[in-house]
Amino acid sequence: MKLSTKFLKDYVDVPVDYQELADRMTSIGNEYDSCEPLINATDLVIGKVLECKMHPDSDHLHVTLVDIGSEKLQIVCGAPNVREGIKVIVAKPGAVLPEITIKKSNIRGVESNGMLCALFELGLDKKYLHEEDINGICILGDDAKVGDDPIKYLGLDDEVIDFELTSNRGDLLSILGMAYEVGALYGNEVKDIDIGYKEEGEDINKSFKVKVSTKDCTMFLAKSVKDVVIKESPDFIKTRLIASGIRPINNVVDISNFVMLETGQPLHFYDADTLNGELEVRNSKENEKLTTLDKTTRTLSSEDIVIASHGKAIGLAGVMGGLETEITEKTKNIMIESAIFNNVKIRQTSKRILRSEASNRFEKGLDPKRTYLAIERCCNLLEKYADAKVQTGLVIYDHENKDDKEIEVTFDKINKVLGLEVPHDEVIKILENLKFKVTVKKDTLKVLVPSRRIDITIKEDLIEEVGRFYGLENIVGKLPTVPLKPGKFNKTYREIKHKMANLGLNECLSYALIRESEFPLFQTEVKEMVKVLDPMTDEHAVMRYSLLASLMNIYTYNKSRGINDIHIFEMGNGFYKEDTEYKEEMKLAALLSGEYKIGFETIKFNFYDIKGILEDLLDYLGYKDRYTLVIKDIPKELHPYQSASIVVNGKEIGIIGKINPAFNKDDIYVLEISINKLLENRVKGIQVSEISKYPTILKDVAFILDKDIVASDVSKEIKRLGGKLLRDVQIFDCYEGDKIDSNKKSLAFKLTFNDMNRTLTDEEVMEIFEKIISGIETKFKSQVRDK
Amino acid sequence: MEEYMEREDIIKKLESDLKNVKTKNDLQNVKAAYLGKNGIVTNLSLKMKEIPNEEKREYGKFLNLIKEEVTTKLESMESELEKNLLEEKLNEEKIDITLPSRKKLKGSIHPMTRVVEELEDLFVSMGYDVISGPEIDTDMNSFTKLNLPEGHPARDAQDTFYLDKDYLLRPHTSPAQVRTMEANKEKTPLRIVCPGKVYRRDDDATHSHQFMQFEGLVVGEDISLADLKGTLELFAKKLLGEKTNVRFRPSYFPFTEPSCEVDVTCFKCGGKGCSLCKQTGWIEVLGAGVVHPNVLRMSGYDPDKYTGFAFGPGIDRFAMFKYGITDIRQIYTNDIRFLEQFDRKDVD
């Protein structure tokens, strides 16, 4: 909302300058975007062209002698409309205009001491100007006094504060609303608006009917004015429109905009002669066509509200009028519409079709009293500035409540909510300055809020009014007085992240919205995806299920920047749909690629690195000895022979493995687990087990086995054969190579024997050891190496 | 009587023998030559029986003296030898300590996680519960029950990713308020915070369509704007430094009444005025207010008995300030060279 301070001052006294006003308004909740004079130019003066000769060395430049009162200046001017005798705007040497700074100069051999200005050179947007003002310098009226300030003469001595208002303050989209707000700030009265006019002729209700056949229109007023003379508006209207950001067109159109700015009530003018005595407000028919003012044919829906005449839609209520009934240069008689439509419907329609000054106001809600006021103000101005004859009577359809709202609140409640000690008389003063009627009974305030403040309906709204005018800056912060209790907080997710970081991985945070084509990746049975109805881009269209899709993108991003050693993880939700239900599942994914260094040793990441991370994490979370890797359900993005499903307590909770070279040819190792599924498996707290007081006996043995035999099977069998005296089995080497057959491998085990109650003898350990060796040799058709 | 060596001679000889000792073995040989079988000192003591009785006492004294002297010399030689050997060994083990160390792979914690954790810790220490809500929520929980009925103009401001007519990606963490209040069947006072990802149809240099919010809600008796201010002052000082001040400006949000925009002392210039704060010395960081009675009522709380406050800052910019991140997109780009810088603890 662009507020012209000059326009505002028509209705309320403002004791401060515009910058201070803008800052004070901000402090009461009305922020502004910008705040500046309408014309940003210095050293301008009204001059009279005394002489005007052709430039000796140019076919279009003139050399003028201009009287500016204090002196006479020779100025070279290129405008085609410069001539002797006219009054002009002179920018003296040293003048600073929006685009240029004026200096004494020499133009093709002739001295020039200033510039004769066109209006756009002063910073007025060309859209507000007539053709002749764009092509030439501004020619002032004969009454302009040489030596005076031309900006003042033109009525452009104004300032504009561009407010960014909150959506509840529809009332501030009017000069009157602003006047009440500013009046409340400084305790000043709001001046009356001039609404007087004469009526003549027979009552309009006899010859004109309005039918409202939709509940989306709660108020519709129509009034007829005749014999208007279409011409240019008076300057005070034009300049106020320009300062408010609206282009002046002609007196009639301008008055409708001017009154909208004053009252906040949008109006629509019909050429009455095109209406044939009736108007109907109804919902549009589905696919009904209407050509609007901008000469565009619109296809409407049954959600739109239209104004119709004799069955045919002639206007899109609250948004834009129709072309057929618009005011033209030839219009004589006008039907004025002042109405209130359902704000939600207007919002939907305007969102689809066109946002305008009018629709913006309808959306935010209107004061039904102003609906009357606006139409009367229109008649007043049309009579004065368009020579209109106002016809007797007003066509009224009115289902609006215009009563003041009665709200009760106690002083105590106000101060308790604000956390302030606002004195009682201060509370009353603030509410009365807002022109609310206040009666006090003991501790209770009874407040009558006028209909213009549609945003105020409950006591909390009144509390806010007191707070914002008293000043929220006066609140002294304190902490809530509440019973002591410990805060509840499950730290598991945090601990997982920190464990992963401690294992050497960098935490990533990426977007949950991904490409549709990325969704099925790393899934064996593809879930139903969660899709956004109206994505901004294809890149962010569906919610990810696997975080590995994101980590692969991060891998590619870094790789393309020359970073090859990548060890990363991310924790976040994966999303899918199941039986029309949206599901989210907390997941953890990790990715390794490239190499790392320990001292001078460079180690290339391989499967056992990612496996180590998995085991370290699961052990840390208390799942030691409860997980296995099972070679099944491997998604096609993973290598079939270097991957597995992760199984905890018999249930699959994730995948681990190498990226399939068909998917990405780099050596990349990944894992992804469902944290939700993992944590479903309860873990017992740490309970220490007794430490044996007796010595342990260690035995090493290596077996030569077929390559296809997996180490974990051998370990398991050793443990079974070893019985309870065999405390631990560790694989400490795996060898394949020249020293053994090419289809064989050698696995070396370290066995730990111990008993809690006594010292074991060598003989009994040897007996078990021999039993293990022969057992393994038989079961796996293997033999002990280097025996 | 057979000649025997004078004490001085024996010691002289021993000293000269010891001069040639280089190893423990040499020492052993010397030791044997004096104290061993057939050793010089041993032989001297064997002679005792040949000494006449009246001289035995004197000879015995002489023997003890020489034994003691020889033993002392040998022992001191031994300890010197050991010292030399140790010295030698230490010398052999001399290394260049400036060579690179052997250390494990280094990981890091993302800046957003760090800010979330810092805030969680602050609020848990004040007895707030940390809760998490779903990222896919209903229109009902995200808008209607927060006093934003269908068609409400403020719904425009939050351009939302809808999944269907009822479900959406939460545009703010505020549904957590609704969920917590509804889940608390006893309708007792509450203190919660809810950190999490939120989504809006908004993407430019200063906005990302996904960002982190940190919701806070307190419901109790006589909870006021002053309580909110005190709480946010703590919040701001913790994240932005002790000198940070908080300013309230009245504003409008459908879920709170009264509502306010909260400004903090500009973290770039410290309040002097700069380009970031547009010379005002203040930066707007969040919206907050007293919970609207409709919001309490819709979740089963009696607004005549209870009041509450709520706040919901986006915290990405706090992370940006804290770590000097200049472009919000860096937070979600995951350049390794960016992530690696977060491999150490924050300053307390």
Side-chain angles (χ1 to χ4, degrees):
Chain A
M1 162 82 183
K2 285 190 164 139
L3 176 70
S4 145
T5 58
K6 207 170 175 183
F7 208 169
L8 176 69
K9 286 172 190 166
D10 292 343
Y11 290 102
V12 70
D13 289 334
V14 183
V16 296
D17 73 7
Y18 68 97
Q19 182 64 57
E20 197 180 330
L21 175 65
D23 291 338
R24 279 294 282 136
M25 287 290 271
T26 300
S27 75
I28 57 166
N30 306 308
E31 276 186 73
Y32 66 94
D33 202 31
S34 64
C35 142
E36 56 191 358
L38 179 61
I39 301 294
N40 242 325
T42 65
D43 296 282
L44 301 176
V45 63
I46 296 173
K48 185 176 181 179
V49 180
L50 301 175
E51 288 172 17
C52 180
K53 295 178 193 138
M54 284 306 287
H55 190 289
D57 195 22
S58 163
D59 59 359
H60 72 281
L61 293 175
H62 291 86
V63 180
T64 65
L65 185 66
V66 184
D67 176 13
I68 61 163
S70 56
E71 57 184 316
K72 294 184 177 66
L73 298 172
Q74 174 174 295
I75 294 172
V76 176
C77 177
N81 62 340
V82 65
R83 60 184 186 271
E84 216 169 273
I86 58 173
K87 303 258 179 78
V88 291
I89 303 170
V90 181
K92 296 189 283 189
V96 180
L97 308 188
E99 303 283 329
I100 46 168
T101 300
I102 305 301
K103 287 186 291 236
K104 280 188 185 190
S105 61
N106 190 301
I107 299 172
R108 295 194 197 175
V110 178
E111 190 182 298
S112 182
N113 301 307
M115 183 171 92
L116 307 186
C117 302
L119 282 174
F120 70 86
E121 286 167 328
L122 306 182
L124 269 193
D125 196 307
K126 284 184 183 172
K127 77 175 176 190
Y128 300 130
L129 303 176
H130 291 299
E131 196 66 22
E132 63 265 27
D133 280 324
I134 296 168
N135 295 330
I137 54 169
C138 175
I139 298 173
L140 304 174
D142 285 338
D143 57 342
K145 205 167 150 261
V146 168
D148 277 6
D149 177 356
I151 299 306
K152 208 163 189 171
Y153 170 81
L154 287 167
L156 296 171
D157 51 336
D158 199 353
E159 298 111 12
V160 180
I161 307 172
D162 194 355
F163 283 103
E164 277 195 3
L165 298 168
T166 53
S167 63
N168 61 327
R169 294 302 302 274
D171 65 306
L172 294 183
L173 295 172
S174 67
I175 295 297
L176 280 176
M178 284 288 185
Y180 277 106
E181 188 85 345
V182 172
L185 254 184
Y186 299 107
N188 287 343
E189 294 302 312
V190 175
K191 294 169 196 166
D192 287 336
I193 189 164
D194 186 3
I195 49 172
Y197 55 88
K198 285 201 307 287
E199 289 191 333
E200 58 187 71
E202 77 164 5
D203 193 309
I204 178 68
N205 283 294
K206 290 193 175 140
S207 56
F208 195 83
K209 295 276 171 284
V210 168
K211 188 178 149 200
V212 176
S213 46
T214 169
K215 60 176 178 19
D216 293 331
C217 172
T218 46
M219 192 156 173
F220 195 101
L221 307 177
K223 192 156 180 72
S224 151
V225 297
K226 299 204 172 244
D227 300 330
V228 295
V229 178
I230 306 247
K231 54 189 175 189
E232 199 164 315
S233 290
D235 285 346
F236 83 91
I237 290 183
K238 281 195 294 184
T239 54
R240 278 161 181 72
L241 288 181
I242 288 171
S244 307
I246 293 176
R247 183 164 67 100
I249 293 170
N250 61 44
N251 56 349
V252 170
V253 176
D254 292 352
I255 285 168
S256 107
N257 284 327
F258 188 80
V259 173
M260 175 182 74
L261 290 174
E262 281 187 323
T263 64
Q265 169 70 52
L267 299 154
H268 187 70
F269 289 1
Y270 298 91
D271 186 327
D273 298 324
T274 64
L275 295 183
N276 295 321
E278 68 141 60
L279 279 178
E280 185 190 0
V281 188
R282 60 168 168 82
N283 289 101
S284 167
K285 293 165 199 150
E286 200 61 38
N287 295 322
E288 191 169 0
K289 299 270 193 287
L290 169 68
T291 304
T292 43
L293 281 176
D294 54 358
K295 301 186 178 68
T296 309
T297 302
R298 316 270 181 181
T299 306
L300 307 179
S301 90
S302 57
E303 292 293 299
D304 300 323
I305 314 163
V306 293
I307 316 298
S309 181
H310 297 278
K312 192 165 178 284
I314 55 161
L316 191 50
V319 179
M320 209 194 297
L323 188 64
E324 276 178 50
T325 54
E326 78 166 332
I327 304 293
T328 65
E329 297 295 318
K330 297 181 191 109
T331 298
K332 285 273 163 248
N333 303 316
I334 293 174
M335 189 61 68
I336 307 169
E337 165 203 304
S338 182
I340 297 181
F341 305 104
N342 178 310
N343 59 330
V344 175
K345 289 283 163 57
I346 297 296
R347 184 163 152 261
Q348 284 160 353
T349 300
S350 68
K351 219 173 157 180
R352 207 179 67 242
I353 291 181
L354 177 90
R355 288 231 141 130
S356 64
E357 292 275 352
S359 71
N360 185 28
R361 286 171 172 81
F362 279 113
E363 283 174 28
K364 305 266 157 65
L366 299 171
D367 171 10
K369 282 188 185 159
R370 296 263 177 89
T371 315
Y372 286 89
L373 182 77
I375 215 161
E376 295 193 62
R377 175 65 168 162
C378 262
C379 294
N380 169 280
L381 292 174
L382 287 169
E383 184 183 67
K384 268 194 238 173
Y385 302 108
D387 310 327
K389 296 185 180 71
V390 181
Q391 195 179 343
T392 307
L394 177 67
V395 184
I396 300 175
Y397 172 87
D398 182 356
H399 287 257
E400 281 281 351
N401 180 9
K402 292 169 285 293
D403 296 341
D404 290 350
K405 288 162 282 187
E406 186 182 315
I407 303 171
E408 284 190 2
V409 63
T410 62
F411 290 108
D412 183 52
K413 176 78 178 170
I414 292 172
N415 281 326
K416 266 190 176 160
V417 169
L418 295 175
L420 280 168
E421 295 293 332
V422 187
H424 292 196
D425 54 346
E426 187 72 20
V427 172
I428 296 164
K429 194 176 128 199
I430 286 168
L431 295 173
E432 283 182 344
N433 278 348
L434 281 159
K435 305 290 174 279
F436 300 169
K437 289 187 201 82
V438 183
T439 44
V440 182
K441 213 178 194 179
K442 281 191 207 157
D443 287 341
T444 305
L445 290 143
K446 197 162 91 183
V447 183
L448 289 175
V449 180
S451 59
R452 65 185 159 79
R453 287 302 300 272
I454 49 169
D455 58 313
I456 296 182
T457 55
I458 55 173
K459 56 176 174 280
E460 283 75 8
D461 297 323
L462 287 179
I463 295 171
E464 178 167 76
E465 292 302 295
V466 174
R468 70 192 184 96
F469 281 96
Y470 185 73
L472 296 185
E473 68 275 11
N474 293 315
I475 295 174
V476 177
K478 68 177 191 68
L479 289 179
T481 316
V482 287
L484 281 177
K485 69 161 192 69
K488 274 186 245 156
F489 177 32
N490 183 343
K491 282 205 174 91
T492 309
Y493 290 175
R494 183 192 284 198
E495 286 162 344
I496 291 173
K497 286 183 179 181
H498 284 262
K499 182 68 188 171
M500 294 301 278
N502 288 338
L503 290 170
L505 304 176
N506 294 310
E507 190 194 2
C508 297
L509 175 62
S510 52
Y511 293 131
L513 281 166
I514 58 169
R515 281 178 199 284
E516 197 171 326
S517 59
E518 291 167 342
F519 179 79
L521 300 179
F522 301 98
Q523 300 187 48
T524 36
E525 278 170 57
V526 178
K527 303 267 186 194
E528 190 183 339
M529 69 180 139
V530 177
K531 242 174 134 168
V532 166
L533 283 184
D534 189 13
M536 288 191 308
T537 58
D538 290 344
E539 206 183 334
H540 305 298
V542 304
M543 294 300 275
R544 63 184 174 189
Y545 175 69
S546 168
L547 271 52
L548 287 176
S550 306
L551 291 191
M552 283 304 290
N553 286 340
I554 294 168
Y555 172 80
T556 310
Y557 174 91
N558 281 289
K559 172 104 178 166
S560 69
R561 279 157 186 77
I563 301 156
N564 298 313
D565 302 331
I566 294 168
H567 32 104
I568 51 176
F569 79 99
E570 181 168 8
M571 197 162 152
N573 279 320
F575 302 83
Y576 63 100
K577 216 174 161 181
E578 196 173 78
D579 306 330
T580 72
E581 235 181 283
Y582 294 101
K583 304 269 191 187
E584 33 196 285
E585 194 173 299
M586 185 52 68
K587 296 190 162 201
L588 172 75
L591 180 150
L592 301 177
S593 186
E595 55 191 36
Y596 63 105
K597 268 188 170 175
I598 293 187
F600 296 119
E601 196 182 352
T602 298
I603 303 164
K604 232 169 124 14
F605 284 116
N606 68 21
F607 177 81
Y608 302 105
D609 289 296
I610 195 84
K611 184 183 171 190
I613 284 165
L614 175 72
E615 293 182 350
D616 269 342
L617 177 71
L618 294 181
D619 291 351
Y620 175 72
L621 294 173
Y623 295 100
K624 196 176 172 78
D625 299 331
R626 289 170 67 182
Y627 52 85
T628 45
L629 297 186
V630 178
I631 301 167
K632 64 166 191 176
D633 295 339
I634 294 163
K636 64 178 190 308
E637 291 76 21
L638 291 187
H639 193 300
Y641 304 119
Q642 284 199 32
S643 301
S645 284
I646 304 159
V647 174
V648 173
N649 281 15
K651 272 195 217 134
E652 281 181 34
I653 62 139
I655 49 171
I656 183 166
K658 187 179 180 176
I659 293 291
N660 193 326
F663 183 63
N664 189 311
K665 61 176 178 24
D666 297 345
D667 293 330
I668 305 168
Y669 302 90
V670 296
L671 74 81
E672 179 165 50
I673 58 179
S674 161
I675 296 294
N676 288 145
K677 281 187 193 157
L678 173 66
L679 297 180
E680 277 168 16
N681 301 291
R682 301 282 298 266
V683 171
K684 285 197 193 122
I686 295 174
Q687 290 288 309
V688 295
S689 47
E690 215 186 315
I691 299 161
S692 172
K693 293 192 274 286
Y694 302 95
T696 54
I697 295 177
L698 300 176
K699 294 278 175 203
D700 289 355
V701 61
F703 296 102
I704 295 175
L705 298 143
D706 282 347
K707 264 188 185 171
D708 284 346
I709 292 168
V710 297
S712 63
D713 287 351
V714 184
S715 285
K716 242 186 263 168
E717 182 64 9
I718 292 174
K719 272 183 201 158
R720 196 186 66 79
L721 292 162
K724 67 181 182 36
L725 296 183
L726 177 59
R727 293 280 156 174
D728 190 34
V729 178
Q730 294 290 333
I731 302 172
F732 70 87
D733 190 33
C734 174
Y735 173 79
E736 291 175 24
D738 300 343
K739 292 175 191 162
I740 54 175
D741 286 353
S742 63
N743 58 345
K744 301 277 183 189
K745 65 180 168 193
S746 160
L747 285 177
F749 297 87
K750 187 175 285 298
L751 313 184
T752 308
F753 295 90
N754 180 259
D755 190 274
M756 295 301 290
N757 304 313
R758 62 191 174 86
T759 304
L760 294 177
T761 62
D762 242 8
E763 293 71 39
E764 62 184 324
V765 170
M766 272 318 285
E767 198 180 313
I768 304 169
F769 189 52
E770 295 295 345
K771 186 176 137 202
I772 290 169
I773 289 171
S774 63
I776 297 298
E777 283 180 335
T778 319
K779 175 150 187 178
F780 297 103
K781 296 189 182 64
S782 65
Q783 64 197 99
V784 170
R785 191 178 176 201
D786 302 324
K787 197 182 174 182
Chain B
M1 195 178 149
E2 200 178 320
E3 277 290 307
Y4 62 81
M5 287 173 82
E6 283 300 325
R7 187 175 70 95
E8 285 79 18
D9 298 332
I10 294 173
I11 298 302
K12 252 182 206 155
K13 182 171 161 48
L14 175 63
E15 279 173 351
S16 109
D17 286 349
L18 284 175
K19 265 190 191 139
N20 299 320
V21 166
K22 292 279 174 290
T23 66
K24 275 198 159 177
N25 205 26
D26 296 347
L27 182 65
Q28 207 52 48
N29 291 339
V30 173
K31 200 175 174 179
Y34 288 80
L35 300 176
K37 220 187 197 175
N38 228 0
I40 294 170
V41 178
T42 316
N43 287 339
L44 276 181
S45 45
L46 285 176
K47 276 189 184 146
M48 179 65 119
K49 56 181 184 280
E50 295 164 23
I51 302 293
N53 279 344
E54 64 275 21
E55 285 175 37
K56 267 196 171 125
R57 189 183 159 85
E58 194 64 20
Y59 190 73
K61 261 189 193 168
F62 158 77
L63 261 185
N64 280 340
L65 210 67
I66 205 148
K67 261 189 201 163
E68 204 183 295
E69 217 163 331
V70 168
T71 311
T72 311
K73 289 248 184 269
L74 285 169
E75 274 173 1
S76 96
M77 185 65 205
E78 185 173 11
S79 80
E80 191 173 328
L81 252 189
E82 259 167 25
K83 206 178 111 197
N84 290 346
L85 278 172
L86 180 66
E87 195 62 43
E88 212 171 296
K89 183 173 157 57
L90 290 175
N91 216 24
E92 271 169 28
E93 285 177 0
K94 186 174 176 179
I95 61 165
D96 177 358
I97 57 156
T98 67
L99 286 175
S101 62
R102 276 198 291 217
K103 52 182 170 257
K104 300 241 176 72
L105 205 49
K106 251 201 278 186
S108 60
I109 290 288
H110 194 277
M112 288 313 304
T113 303
R114 286 163 175 263
V115 171
V116 167
E117 289 179 357
E118 189 169 359
L119 289 174
E120 282 171 346
D121 291 344
L122 173 68
F123 282 94
V124 168
S125 75
M126 294 193 285
Y128 286 64
D129 298 340
V130 179
I131 60 150
S132 64
E135 290 171 50
I136 295 177
D137 212 321
T138 56
D139 179 277
M140 182 64 86
N141 284 338
S142 308
F143 292 127
T144 313
K145 288 199 169 169
L146 290 166
N147 201 34
L148 271 134
E150 212 170 306
H152 194 287
R155 277 195 175 201
D156 260 8
Q158 333 232 2
D159 274 302
T160 306
F161 288 109
Y162 274 89
L163 303 176
D164 56 40
K165 70 180 193 350
D166 298 322
Y167 281 87
L168 43 74
L169 303 183
R170 64 176 174 195
H172 42 214
T173 39
S174 309
Q177 294 184 26
V178 176
R179 287 175 168 274
T180 313
M181 286 196 284
E182 295 200 332
N184 182 7
K185 298 292 176 217
E186 291 79 35
K187 306 301 168 193
T188 45
L190 283 176
R191 261 174 286 166
I192 59 152
V193 288
C194 173
K197 291 172 189 162
V198 297
Y199 303 86
R200 291 190 199 167
R201 303 191 73 259
D202 198 357
D203 222 357
D204 58 45
T206 53
H207 295 88
S208 149
H209 72 271
Q210 174 187 316
F211 60 98
M212 281 283 182
Q213 221 174 32
F214 193 90
E215 190 79 11
L217 170 74
V218 172
V219 178
E221 283 173 36
D222 297 334
I223 298 294
S224 71
L225 274 182
D227 297 319
L228 171 65
K229 190 167 183 184
T231 304
L232 292 176
E233 277 168 350
L234 265 184
F235 177 116
K237 285 180 195 297
K238 178 83 177 114
L239 272 187
L240 306 172
E242 276 304 310
K243 285 184 187 153
T244 308
N245 288 316
V246 166
R247 178 175 84 168
F248 280 4
R249 269 181 301 111
S251 187
Y252 168 72
F253 306 108
F255 13 91
T256 46
E257 187 69 42
S259 303
C260 47
E261 293 283 3
V262 181
D263 298 341
V264 295
T265 314
C266 177
F267 29 78
K268 192 173 168 196
C269 64
K272 288 194 278 290
C274 68
S275 60
L276 181 67
C277 60
K278 291 179 192 146
Q279 309 307 327
T280 63
W282 296 95
I283 302 245
E284 183 181 316
V285 286
L286 65 110
V290 173
V291 181
H292 196 287
N294 290 352
V295 174
L296 290 175
R297 203 175 288 121
M298 277 187 278
S299 291
Y301 275 80
D302 178 2
D304 291 329
K305 185 174 176 197
Y306 289 119
T307 47
F309 67 67
F311 55 88
I315 53 174
D316 294 47
R317 54 193 305 191
F318 288 114
M320 290 176 73
F321 160 69
K322 180 161 184 176
Y323 299 110
I325 301 165
T326 49
D327 183 347
I328 192 166
R329 282 168 293 204
Q330 278 186 298
I331 293 177
Y332 298 95
T333 303
N334 301 299
D335 191 306
I336 300 291
R337 294 163 295 185
F338 172 80
L339 299 176
E340 275 173 351
Q341 299 178 50
F342 296 93
D343 64 349
R344 49 164 278 209
K345 81 183 277 290
D346 284 304
V347 177
D348 289 324

